């Protein structure tokens, strides 16, 4: 039985109100990366529906093809505990990028939300679709490939495909064989395929072609099973500084040094680094050591120079290119702003050899995250070399 114009308008108004409610529900997590992007997607859908209402030419097909079911499922997932990002873009290569719907557990889990009809998904995966249409199996391959490029603590994220409307048994098994964790009701197999304008087909299938604009994860959990530490210049400076080795009771002429000294009196950095270094292999790249040595020779005092030589005995220094070539994301990290070439060299070296990079350079890490590149790092507070400044400083008794 066909619907009357009044019934279609009523259905349209319900969808518009549903979209408003979705945007409102996201306000409580508005600080989560990507939430404004998701709100804009919902707003665009609502704007389309409102234009449709204004035209008074509503067709039932237009309502059934709305992306709101998929967007609503994404909102439900985004509101779960542990979500750190939504609608995040990752580049697979120069020509292809992938949108990850939901990232959780500090980057360890990627979730794709699928709201399409289960029969349609199976049909598409069996080749019963128009030329060029990408199946859920194609998308699974993309997700697994991308996860390999963007590891979290040197392990690829777990990839979950969450099927809001369920998934047929055979297709679920095929996805699992690709390494995908399948979430959702497992349904009996069906060969009664049919064409449909499915909920969110455009939103769900656009993974490699999104035009949305684009932070990653670093860990300060010492007990993470990593046995090799890559020392950044800032870590070596903090380790050998007089300030961190019992000489923090000074008021320096430079305010920043006085502030750091007060911080180290309250929160000493050296014991943290000593504990971190226990039982670990310490390494650095040639660029890091050469820059550190130059700073010590220029600004360091006698005791700081002696400590730097002791530190060198603890370190293994490798060439910058040790460990093989960089992967695509890190090789193509753009040097700009807080992403300096030296820092890129140091952190890429650590990533290649699967070492935890020890650094105070949180600016670099966050800037790299904004480009979609994550590094495993232990972040400590910054400390400068101060022995050469003590003669002109006021000692606190």
């Amino acid at each position: 039985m066909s619907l009357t114009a009044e019934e279609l308008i009523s259905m349209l108004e319900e969808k518009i109100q549903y979209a408003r409610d979705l945007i409102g529900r996201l306000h409580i997590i508005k600080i989560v990366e990507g939430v404004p992007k998701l709100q804009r997607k919902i707003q665009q859908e609502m704007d389309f529906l409102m234009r449709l209402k204004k035209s008074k030419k509503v067709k039932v097909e237009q309502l059934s093809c709305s992306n709101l079911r998929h967007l609503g499922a994404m909102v439900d997932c985004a509101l779960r505990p542990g979500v750190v990002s939504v609608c995040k873009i990752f580049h697979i290569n120069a020509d292809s990028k992938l949108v990850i719907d939901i990232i959780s557990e500090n980057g360890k889990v990627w979730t794709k939300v699928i709201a399409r009809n289960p029969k349609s998904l199976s049909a598409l995966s069996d080749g019963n679709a128009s030329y060029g249409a990408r199946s859920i199996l194609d998308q699974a391959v993309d997700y697994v490939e991308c996860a390999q490029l963007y590891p979290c603590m040197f392990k690829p994220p777990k990839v979950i495909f969450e099927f809001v409307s369920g998934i047929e048994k055979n297709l679920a098994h095929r996805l699992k064989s690709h390494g995908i964790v399948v979430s959702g009701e497992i349904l009996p197999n069906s060969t009664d395929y049919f064409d449909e304008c499915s909920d969110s087909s455009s939103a769900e299938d656009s993974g490699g072609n999104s035009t949305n604009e684009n932070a990653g994860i670093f860990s300060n959990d010492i007990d993470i099973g990593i046995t090799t530490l890559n020392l950044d210049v800032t870590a070596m400076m903090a380790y050998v500084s007089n300030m961190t080795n019992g000489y923090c009771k000074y008021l320096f002429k430079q305010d920043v040094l006085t502030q750091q000294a007060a911080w180290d009196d309250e929160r000493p950095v050296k014991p943290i680094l000593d504990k971190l270094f226990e039982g670990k292999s310490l390494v650095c790249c040639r660029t890091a050591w050469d820059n550190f040595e130059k700073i010590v020779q220029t600004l360091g005092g006698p005791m700081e120079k002696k400590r730097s030589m002791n530190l060198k005995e603890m370190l293994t220094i490798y060439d910058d290119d040790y460990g093989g070539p960089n992967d695509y994301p890190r090789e193509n990290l753009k040097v700009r702003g807080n992403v300096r070439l030296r820092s890129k060299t140091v952190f890429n070296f650590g990533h290649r050899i699967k070492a935890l990079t020890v650094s105070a350079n949180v600016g670099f890490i966050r800037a790299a995250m904004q480009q979609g590149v994550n590094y495993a790092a232990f972040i400590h507070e910054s400390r400068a070399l101060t022995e050469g400044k003590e003669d002109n400083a006021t000692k606190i008794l």
Side-chain angles (χ1 to χ4, degrees):
M1 188 176 88
S2 61
L3 297 172
T4 65
E6 290 77 12
E7 289 173 326
L8 288 173
I9 291 295
S10 177
M11 291 173 60
L12 183 60
E13 289 174 343
E14 288 178 4
K15 284 186 176 290
I16 291 172
Q17 185 57 49
Y18 178 58
R20 286 198 187 97
D21 293 342
L22 291 178
I23 293 174
R25 290 172 63 196
L26 289 170
H27 284 321
I28 61 174
I29 58 166
K30 60 184 179 181
I31 63 171
V32 173
E33 182 193 19
V35 165
K37 193 185 301 182
L38 179 55
Q39 288 177 314
R40 288 196 297 272
K41 286 175 178 284
I42 300 169
Q43 183 66 52
Q44 289 169 0
E45 191 70 21
M46 187 168 70
D47 290 345
F48 166 74
L49 295 174
M50 292 178 74
R51 288 195 299 271
L52 199 60
K53 179 182 177 182
K54 189 175 181 180
S55 73
K56 298 182 180 179
K57 297 179 181 179
V58 185
K59 298 179 180 179
V60 67
E61 294 84 1
Q62 292 170 314
L63 297 180
S64 64
C65 288
S66 169
N67 284 328
L68 281 179
R69 178 169 169 75
H70 173 247
L71 294 171
M74 283 192 62
V75 170
D76 290 339
C77 290
L79 290 170
R80 294 172 183 166
V83 171
V84 297
S85 184
V86 300
C87 302
K88 186 167 180 66
I89 292 176
F90 293 96
H91 289 263
I92 298 175
N93 52 48
D95 303 314
S96 181
K97 52 190 175 183
L98 192 68
V99 181
I100 308 301
D101 290 344
I102 307 291
I103 300 177
S104 58
E105 295 187 27
N106 286 332
K108 296 176 183 175
V109 177
W110 289 1
T111 301
K112 178 173 178 60
V113 181
I114 302 101
R116 296 190 69 171
N117 180 287
K119 292 182 180 179
S120 175
L121 288 170
S122 294
L124 187 57
S125 297
D126 285 341
N128 297 319
S130 58
Y131 176 77
R134 304 186 76 252
S135 74
I136 200 69
L137 295 172
D138 297 326
Q139 295 173 60
V141 172
D142 289 345
Y143 261 72
V144 171
E145 179 184 357
C146 193
Q148 294 291 332
L149 288 174
Y150 294 90
C152 179
M153 299 307 296
F154 308 115
K155 293 181 180 180
K158 178 169 69 174
V159 177
I160 299 174
F161 277 20
E162 182 159 331
F163 294 89
V164 178
S165 303
I167 179 174
E168 294 187 351
K169 185 177 179 180
N170 282 351
L171 183 53
H173 285 321
R174 293 169 73 183
L175 285 171
K176 290 175 182 177
S177 72
H178 284 284
I180 303 295
V181 177
V182 175
S183 175
E185 183 182 2
I186 305 299
L187 304 171
N189 297 319
S190 170
T191 56
D192 184 21
Y193 299 137
F194 59 91
D195 292 332
E196 63 158 353
C197 180
S198 66
D199 286 342
S200 70
S201 59
S202 61
E204 292 175 20
D205 296 343
S206 65
N209 301 299
S210 171
T211 57
N212 287 330
E213 72 283 355
N214 283 3
I217 310 305
F218 52 88
S219 171
N220 269 20
D221 182 358
I222 294 177
D223 186 20
I224 53 176
I226 292 176
T227 59
T228 303
L229 303 178
N230 171 41
L231 303 192
D232 182 24
V233 175
T234 54
M236 292 187 276
M237 287 177 61
Y239 195 74
V240 306
S241 170
N242 249 28
M243 181 189 297
T244 62
N245 283 273
Y247 296 86
C248 62
K249 300 286 190 179
Y250 283 93
L251 297 175
F252 295 95
K253 296 199 178 288
Q254 298 83 1
D255 290 341
V256 65
L257 297 184
T258 298
Q259 182 66 78
Q260 286 189 11
W263 287 340
D264 206 71
D265 190 34
E266 296 174 7
R267 303 182 298 274
V269 167
K270 185 71 180 300
I272 294 173
L273 295 179
D274 282 334
K275 182 179 179 181
L276 179 65
F277 291 179
E278 284 180 6
K280 306 290 197 308
S281 298
L282 305 183
V283 302
C284 72
C285 65
R286 176 57 60 185
T287 287
W289 179 261
D290 288 350
N291 277 266
F292 167 68
E293 190 173 45
K294 184 176 180 180
I295 292 169
V296 171
Q297 293 305 316
T298 304
L299 301 175
M303 288 190 290
E304 290 171 337
K305 290 177 180 177
K306 182 178 179 180
R307 291 188 200 102
S308 70
M309 290 299 98
N310 292 338
L311 177 60
K312 189 175 185 179
E313 295 298 316
M314 299 164 59
L315 276 168
T316 301
I317 304 171
Y318 293 96
D319 290 338
D320 291 348
D321 59 359
Y322 181 80
N326 295 314
D327 56 27
Y328 176 84
R330 287 158 189 83
E331 180 65 27
N332 289 276
L333 182 67
K334 292 180 175 62
V335 177
R336 64 189 184 201
N338 283 326
V339 178
R340 307 287 176 83
L341 182 58
R342 185 185 81 182
S343 298
K344 178 180 175 179
T345 300
V346 170
F347 278 83
N348 280 358
F349 165 75
H351 181 80
R352 289 197 309 273
I353 66 170
K354 293 182 169 55
L356 187 71
T357 298
V358 185
S359 176
N361 194 354
V362 69
F364 169 83
I365 293 174
R366 296 197 184 282
M369 286 165 61
Q370 291 301 318
Q371 295 189 42
V373 179
N374 303 331
Y375 291 95
F378 183 93
I379 300 302
H380 59 83
E381 292 186 12
S382 180
R383 299 291 185 263
L385 302 181
T386 52
E387 187 177 3
K389 308 288 186 182
E390 291 172 3
D391 289 342
N392 295 319
T394 301
K395 189 172 180 61
I396 301 173
L397 301 177

